[in-house]
């Protein structure tokens, strides 16, 4: 279970400040013979945690939900306080930049840069999660690197870049309201850094993890966005002889809202 409470305060013009409070309870389950059971990384006990976060925002998106122009920038930080029976204390800063630019009447280029660096006693399952105004789950998966496995790489530092071309295909009415369809080719790339690589983590042999694919968006009345993304990536697998084999991967995601 996870709960997230955010308060936002408009300062002046496009500038805002926010404060957030997160509560979470984690439970770790393993099966005999698994790498997780063998390695026993820090945080195996799971337990409750309480995180406070805050930062500054600059928001010039127009419109907010399906932007055609503007910028959304965030500089924030979070700190997790361990509760009795939980893991250790940790935290760090986060930087997020999202930009949108219309290229003609039917195409919008959308990009995102996201980076976070953590320090402290970080439980292994938190190494792949992000803080910020709206916490993002995973390094890999539907919200970060589509086509790459959720949590395949982990480290105290992580960064990613996303680029989409949102192309309007057609629009029509449904129950008297406008429905717009988009085709969205995209590219994603990310890296983890800092600390000692754990089993399955990034090594100097493959520090950058690219992925790409194609998505479909259904935008109803400019307020509801449904998306289906198909992503392809490469999973570097180290063989017993020390060589690295690039295994192709596939991910199909059916979710709501633009990824950013």
């Amino acid at each position: 279970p996870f709960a997230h409470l955010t308060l936002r305060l408009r300062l002046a013009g496009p500038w805002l400040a926010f404060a957030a409070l997160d509560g979470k309870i984690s439970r770790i389950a393993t099966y005999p013979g698994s790498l997780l059971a063998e390695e026993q990384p820090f945080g195996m006990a799971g337990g409750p945690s309480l995180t406070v976060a805050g930062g500054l925002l600059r928001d010039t998106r127009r419109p907010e939900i399906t932007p055609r122009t503007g910028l959304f920038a965030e500089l924030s930080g979070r700190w997790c306080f361990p509760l009795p029976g939980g893991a250790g204390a940790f935290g760090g800063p986060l930087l997020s930049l999202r930009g949108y630019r219309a290229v003609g009447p039917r195409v919008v280029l959308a990009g995102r840069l996201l980076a976070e660096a953590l320090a402290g006693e970080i439980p292994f399952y938190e190494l792949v999660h992000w803080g910020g105004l709206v916490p993002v789950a995973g390094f890999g998966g539907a919200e970060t690197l589509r086509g790459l496995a959720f949590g395949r790489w982990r480290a105290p530092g992580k960064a990613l870049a996303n680029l989409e071309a949102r192309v309007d295909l057609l629009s029509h009415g449904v129950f008297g309201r406008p429905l717009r369809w988009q085709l969205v080719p995209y590219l994603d790339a990310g890296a983890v850094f800092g600390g000692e690589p754990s089993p399955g983590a990034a090594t100097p042999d493959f520090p950058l993890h690219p992925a790409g694919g194609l998505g479909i968006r259904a935008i109803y009345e400019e307020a509801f966005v449904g998306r289906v993304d198909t992503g392809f990536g490469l999973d570097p697998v180290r063989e017993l002889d020390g060589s690295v084999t690039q295994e192709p991967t596939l991910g199909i995601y059916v979710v709501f809202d633009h990824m950013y």
Side-chain angles (χ1 to χ4, degrees):
F2 171 79
H4 178 71
L5 174 66
T6 302
L7 299 176
R8 284 191 286 183
L9 174 66
R10 185 166 297 279
L11 301 176
W15 291 96
L16 301 95
F18 82 92
L21 182 66
D22 297 339
K24 182 188 296 185
I25 299 175
S26 300
R27 178 178 178 270
I28 312 303
T30 64
Y31 58 88
S34 69
L35 188 60
L36 186 61
E38 177 184 337
E39 296 292 335
Q40 293 287 308
F42 178 74
M44 288 296 293
S49 64
L50 185 67
T51 300
V52 294
L56 289 174
L57 310 170
R58 179 178 173 85
D59 188 0
T60 62
R61 295 172 296 175
R62 297 294 183 273
E64 181 180 350
I65 296 177
T66 57
R68 294 186 58 81
T69 63
L71 176 74
F72 183 88
E74 174 185 345
L75 178 61
S76 64
R78 61 167 165 152
W79 186 259
C80 177
F81 297 91
L83 298 178
F90 66 92
L94 176 142
L95 175 65
S96 176
L97 296 172
R98 310 179 197 177
Y100 308 89
R101 183 178 180 85
V103 183
R106 300 177 67 87
V107 180
V108 173
L109 295 181
R112 177 178 70 173
L113 298 175
L114 184 61
E116 185 178 46
L118 300 176
E121 297 180 307
I122 314 167
F124 75 95
Y125 50 84
E126 288 292 347
L127 291 173
V128 299
H129 295 318
W130 310 73
L133 174 68
V134 179
V136 176
F139 184 87
E143 300 301 323
T144 54
L145 301 169
R146 292 156 289 188
L148 298 178
F150 186 104
R152 174 66 171 86
W153 298 275
R154 58 189 185 272
K158 51 192 178 294
L160 61 87
N162 310 106
L163 180 63
E164 295 184 346
R166 300 172 181 174
V167 183
D168 287 346
L169 294 180
L170 60 93
S171 60
H172 56 87
V174 175
F175 302 116
R177 304 292 184 180
L179 176 65
R180 181 157 53 93
W181 295 89
Q182 287 183 336
L183 188 67
V184 183
Y186 62 84
L187 294 173
D188 300 333
V192 298
F193 53 89
E196 292 294 327
S198 55
T203 76
D205 294 328
F206 32 85
L208 186 67
H209 309 292
L214 190 66
I216 295 175
R217 307 283 190 274
I219 303 171
Y220 186 62
E221 207 175 2
E222 300 303 321
F224 171 87
V225 180
R227 66 180 171 103
V228 179
D229 288 340
T230 300
F232 302 90
L234 292 174
D235 188 2
V237 177
R238 189 175 297 281
E239 307 292 350
L240 294 178
D241 62 2
S243 63
V244 175
T245 301
Q246 298 286 346
E247 296 285 348
T249 58
L250 169 67
I252 299 176
Y253 312 96
V254 181
V255 286
F256 300 114
D257 297 326
H258 286 299
M259 190 169 79
Y260 54 90

